[in-house]
């Protein structure tokens, strides 16, 4: 079985004094890696196959799943931390639940 990844769009970035970055990504789609490509770059590239988003038709069930996920994740963050506020926005928004699960908030990357 091929690995599943999230294709994301950088919607906000901030370069830190130590050369790392804070990034906010918005999940666009899930994809299955079909083949890794060899390139002379410092990041991985691949040929992928998009996986369609599925969600329950039952709005009450979807709301329950969203609240259950939020109650499991949000207590792990300190009081009014920026990452917690960003996650609260995601849980309160209208983004599909699969994309909320795939979202990466304030992940730090080292610059080259």
């Amino acid at each position: 079985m091929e690995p599943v990844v999230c294709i994301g769009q950088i919607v906000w970035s901030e370069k830190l004094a130590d050369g790392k970055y804070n990034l906010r990504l918005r999940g666009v789609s899930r994809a299955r890696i079909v083949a890794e490509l060899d390139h002379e770059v410092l990041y991985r590239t691949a040929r992928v196959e998009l996986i369609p988003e599925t969600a329950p038709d039952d709005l009450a069930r979807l709301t329950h799943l969203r609240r259950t996920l939020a109650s499991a994740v949000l207590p792990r963050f300190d009081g009014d931390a920026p990452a917690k506020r960003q996650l609260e926005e995601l849980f309160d928004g209208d983004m599909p639940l699969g994309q909320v699960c795939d979202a990466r908030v304030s992940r730090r990357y080292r610059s080259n």
Side-chain angles (χ1 to χ4, degrees):
M1 180 178 207
E2 299 89 4
V4 175
V5 296
C6 178
I7 297 173
Q9 174 184 17
I10 298 172
V11 295
W12 176 85
S13 66
E14 169 189 40
K15 186 171 184 175
L16 303 175
D18 63 2
K20 296 178 183 177
Y21 287 87
N22 278 335
L23 301 176
R24 183 185 296 183
L25 301 179
R26 168 171 240 149
V28 176
S29 179
R30 290 182 178 180
R32 185 173 293 107
I33 296 176
V34 175
E36 287 231 27
L37 306 175
D38 292 326
H39 289 285
E40 298 291 325
V41 293
L42 297 175
Y43 49 87
R44 296 168 68 182
T45 57
R47 188 169 350 111
V48 300
E49 180 180 275
L50 297 181
I51 300 171
E53 181 72 34
T54 58
D57 292 332
D58 181 354
L59 183 58
R61 174 81 177 131
L62 187 58
T63 301
H64 173 74
L65 289 171
R66 197 175 196 97
R67 288 183 182 150
T68 300
L69 182 61
S71 67
V73 172
L74 292 175
R76 297 174 184 266
F77 290 83
D78 294 331
D80 197 32
K84 183 175 184 178
R85 289 194 310 270
Q86 291 168 2
L87 280 171
E88 288 170 338
E89 290 173 17
L90 288 173
F91 286 123
D92 291 341
D94 60 356
M95 181 184 291
L97 190 55
Q99 291 180 9
V100 172
C101 293
D102 292 339
R104 306 283 189 231
V105 179
S106 297
R107 185 166 179 188
R108 294 176 184 236
Y109 293 88
R110 187 173 301 283
S111 65
N112 299 331

